[in-house]
Amino acid sequence: MRLQKLLNGIEILETNAPMDLEIGGVRYSSRDVAAGDLFVAVPGYATDGHKYIPDAVQRGAAVVLCERETPETVPWVRVRSSREALSKLGANWYGDPSEKMQVIGVTGTNGKTSVTYLLKALLENAIGAKVGLIGTICNLIGDEVLETERTTPESFDLQGLLAKMADAGCTHVVMEVSSHALFLHRAANIHFRVGAFTNLTEDHLDFHKTMEEYGKAKAILFRHCDRGVFNVNDPASKTMIDGSTCSVYTVGVERDADLRAEEIELGADHIEMNVFEGRQRAHIRLGIPGRFTVGNALIALGIARRLDIPLAEAAEALSLAKPVKGRIEVVPTPGKDYTVLIDYAHTPDGMEKILRSVRDFCKGRLIAVFGCGGDRDRTKRPVMGQIAVRLADLVIVTSDNPRTEEPRAIINDILAGISGTETPVLVEENRRKAIRLAMRIAQKDDVIVLAGKGHETYQVIGTEKTHLDEREEVAAALCETEESR
C-alpha cells in the first residue's frame, strides 16, 4: 500500500517522506520489523517505542512514524499521537472492516463477558447470524477459538482481527471494550452500531487513579456508536448518557426504563422473568443462575432490540443460551452433597454480586475462597475482605495471580479490612491447598464459591504463568479423598 493511502485521515505535523513510497507492512514492535515496513514508535507505560527507532531502522524500516526524535537515516512522519495514528493505520491497512459488519461494543466493570456470550447466542438463535466475539476468555469466529492475551487487542491487531472475521463471513461482532482500550485508542476507528453499558464499580484505579477518570474512559464508547443501551440500575448510567452522542435506550430491573424486567424468580440452576417494552411482554427462562444474570440478560435483550430484532423472537432465542465458562459455573462433584461454583469475581462489586446471588439459593453455609491480584489496585483488597465476611459464613483467603508481589503481603492487605469479624476466616496461601481445605470443611447443602480465577487456567507467579485449573483441582481433590479411604 502506498504511504499516502496508508496515512489517509491522520493529522501530519511534518514529514520528509515521499507519499508514493510502497509500504510492505505496519509494525509497532521493532522486533517484528522487516524491510519495507512502516515502524510506529508508540510511547508506552512500560517502555517508549521511540527508544527502538534505531533498531527498527537497522532491521529495514522504510519509514518511521513518531511524535519526536525523528531519525536522520530514513524518511519519517511526525504526528501528535502515535497511538491514535496506529488505530487509523490499522483501519486503512485492513480496509475499514467494521463497516462491513454490525459491531456491538459492551463496556462496564462487570458483566461484559456474560453479556457478549448471551448476545452471541441470541443472534445465532434468532437470525442465524455468524458472529465474531472478542473478549476476555478468548476470541471466536463462529465456533473457531482464537486465544487472547488481553480483553481488547492493540488497535492495529484489532483491525486485523475484525478483517479476519469479515473475510470469514461474520455478519456481527460482539466485543468487550475495556476502559484501557478506550483510553488508549485501541477501539478507535471502529464503527460501533450499538454500545452498551453494564455498570461502574471500583477497579483499575492503579491505572485511572480516580473513579471519575475511570468513568470518563468508559463513556468514550458512547461518543463512537450509533445507538446506546444503558443499565439504569447503575447510578453511573447518568454520566454515560449525559456524555453520549448516540441515541439512548434504557434497561432496568423493576425500574422506569424502555425495557424493564419484572416478576423475577431465582432458582438454583436458572432465572425466570417477564420483560416489558411499552405494551409488549415476553417471558424468559434462562438456565444460568444468579441475580446478576437478570441484568446481563436484560442488556443483551436491549441490544437485540436496538438491532431491530422483535422482542418475542429475541426473548425466545435468549432462553436457549448456555452458561459461560467461569461465570457462576457449577463444577461436578459426584457423590458429594455440597456444591462448588467457580466465578471470575475479582472486584468488590463482582464479589458482592456472586455472594448475594448464591445466598438466593444456598440452603447450607456459604464458603468463599478468594484472593486479590498482585501489581494491581491495592485499595480494593480490604474492601473485598469486608464484603466476603459480611456475606459468607466462612472465608478462606488465598492467592490469586500474585505476580511480582509477595503473596503474604497481598493477603495481609485483605485481612486489614476484616479485623474483629465474627465470621470465621482461614488463611491458606497455596490456592490448591485452599480449595482442598474448603472441600474438607464443606457439609451437606453448603456452597463453595471459588472466586477470582473464573475461566483462567493459570496462576501468574512472578512473571511466569503456571498451570492451575480449578476444575482439575476439584476433580483431583475428589480422587484423593477416594484413594485415602
Side-chain angles (χ1 to χ4, degrees):
M1 181 180 290
R2 294 202 181 276
L3 183 61
Q4 184 173 19
K5 184 177 181 181
L6 186 58
L7 295 174
N8 184 45
I10 296 173
E11 180 187 3
I12 298 171
L13 299 182
E14 57 179 335
T15 182
N16 69 351
M19 290 295 111
D20 61 349
L21 193 64
E22 190 69 29
I23 301 300
V26 177
R27 308 292 178 187
Y28 57 87
S29 171
S30 64
R31 291 171 296 185
D32 298 331
V33 170
D37 286 348
L38 168 70
F39 173 66
V40 184
V42 180
Y45 290 87
T47 188
D48 188 342
H50 289 81
K51 291 166 51 177
Y52 301 97
I53 289 175
D55 183 50
V57 172
Q58 186 176 9
R59 291 173 185 267
V63 182
V64 169
L65 185 144
C66 54
E67 298 176 10
R68 60 182 192 281
E69 299 166 16
T70 52
E72 299 177 359
T73 53
V74 295
W76 48 264
V77 177
R78 191 168 71 83
V79 297
R80 197 176 311 279
S81 169
S82 298
R83 192 173 289 280
E84 283 189 56
L86 182 64
S87 171
K88 186 60 176 173
L89 288 169
N92 291 343
W93 182 263
Y94 289 107
D96 279 323
S98 67
E99 296 291 347
K100 301 169 185 175
M101 302 170 289
Q102 297 198 55
V103 182
I104 301 100
V106 181
T107 196
T109 306
N110 296 306
K112 297 187 297 295
T113 299
S114 294
V115 170
T116 54
Y117 274 81
L118 289 173
L119 182 61
K120 182 175 187 291
L122 190 160
L123 293 170
E124 291 167 344
N125 295 329
I127 59 175
K130 183 169 184 179
V131 183
L133 183 144
I134 301 172
T136 305
I137 298 177
C138 64
N139 299 325
L140 296 170
I141 299 179
D143 295 325
E144 180 189 355
V145 178
L146 308 173
E147 296 301 321
T148 182
E149 285 294 319
R150 53 168 63 142
T151 300
T152 314
E154 185 54 81
S155 60
F156 192 85
D157 303 324
L158 178 55
Q159 292 287 347
L161 181 58
L162 289 170
K164 188 173 182 178
M165 290 176 172
D167 292 343
C170 289
T171 56
H172 295 73
V173 174
V174 294
M175 63 179 287
E176 299 179 47
V177 189
S178 67
S179 58
H180 291 72
L182 291 162
F183 184 79
L184 297 173
H185 306 287
R186 289 186 207 144
N189 295 289
I190 294 175
H191 178 197
F192 289 99
R193 176 67 181 273
V194 180
F197 169 70
T198 61
N199 51 59
L200 187 75
T201 60
E202 184 175 333
D203 199 15
H204 302 306
L205 297 189
D206 54 320
F207 182 84
H208 295 290
K209 306 307 179 189
T210 67
M211 287 297 293
E212 182 181 8
E213 292 304 312
Y214 182 33
K216 285 180 180 178
K218 294 288 189 189
I220 292 170
L221 176 62
F222 304 103
R223 298 194 293 274
H224 295 277
C225 64
D226 298 335
R227 302 173 178 181
V229 175
F230 302 89
N231 168 27
V232 292
N233 287 109
D234 192 283
S237 62
K238 185 179 185 303
T239 301
M240 302 295 148
I241 292 170
D242 288 347
S244 69
T245 57
C246 60
S247 64
V248 173
Y249 183 90
T250 58
V251 302
V253 176
E254 298 178 344
R255 286 283 304 273
D256 184 20
D258 296 309
L259 184 72
R260 68 188 188 280
E262 296 182 2
E263 300 158 15
I264 298 164
E265 294 182 15
L266 304 171
D269 61 353
H270 73 281
I271 61 102
E272 205 161 346
M273 61 182 175
N274 289 319
V275 291
F276 299 85
E277 184 187 51
R279 295 184 177 181
Q280 294 187 78
R281 172 188 174 277
H283 183 74
I284 293 175
R285 189 184 194 279
L286 186 58
I288 305 173
R291 186 175 295 276
F292 51 80
T293 299
V294 174
N296 293 337
L298 197 59
I299 293 168
L301 198 61
I303 295 169
R305 293 295 297 122
R306 300 261 69 191
L307 294 172
D308 301 320
I309 300 174
L311 180 62
E313 292 178 24
E316 183 179 358
L318 183 60
S319 294
L320 300 174
K322 304 298 183 186
V324 181
K325 183 179 180 181
R327 271 61 179 177
I328 201 163
E329 176 186 350
V330 179
V331 184
T333 52
K336 299 298 180 182
D337 51 11
Y338 57 78
T339 301
V340 178
L341 299 175
I342 291 176
D343 194 82
Y344 191 50
H346 61 285
T347 66
D349 182 65
M351 177 69 80
E352 180 148 5
K353 279 188 168 70
I354 181 62
L355 296 183
R356 285 192 180 280
S357 290
V358 173
R359 273 286 177 219
D360 290 329
F361 57 80
C362 180
K363 296 178 181 177
R365 297 176 304 166
L366 173 49
I367 302 172
V369 181
F370 82 102
C372 290
D375 302 333
R376 297 293 186 270
D377 181 11
R378 291 184 59 181
T379 63
K380 69 181 181 182
R381 296 172 185 172
V383 178
M384 289 181 68
Q386 292 166 7
I387 291 168
V389 297
R390 175 162 48 87
L391 296 176
D393 298 300
L394 190 152
V395 173
I396 301 175
V397 181
T398 186
S399 289
D400 182 353
N401 294 341
R403 300 185 178 88
T404 63
E405 284 193 66
E406 284 295 326
R408 187 69 210 200
I410 299 171
I411 290 171
N412 287 340
D413 285 344
I414 296 171
L415 296 177
I418 55 181
S419 59
T421 179
E422 295 182 3
T423 303
V425 177
L426 304 176
V427 174
E428 175 48 72
E429 182 181 312
N430 184 299
R431 195 170 182 100
R432 286 184 170 88
K433 292 181 180 180
I435 293 170
R436 285 158 174 78
L437 175 59
M439 293 172 69
R440 283 200 306 272
I441 293 171
Q443 301 170 0
K444 185 178 185 296
D445 293 330
D446 287 353
V447 178
I448 300 170
V449 175
L450 306 179
K453 301 301 296 176
H455 61 281
E456 293 179 354
T457 56
Y458 57 83
Q459 275 274 63
V460 183
I461 300 173
T463 57
E464 300 295 323
K465 283 185 178 180
T466 60
H467 182 74
L468 191 151
D469 187 326
E470 294 187 324
R471 298 151 199 82
E472 295 174 4
E473 295 304 319
V474 170
L478 292 173
C479 288
E480 291 161 9
T481 302
E482 289 298 316
E483 290 170 0
S484 66
R485 288 182 176 179

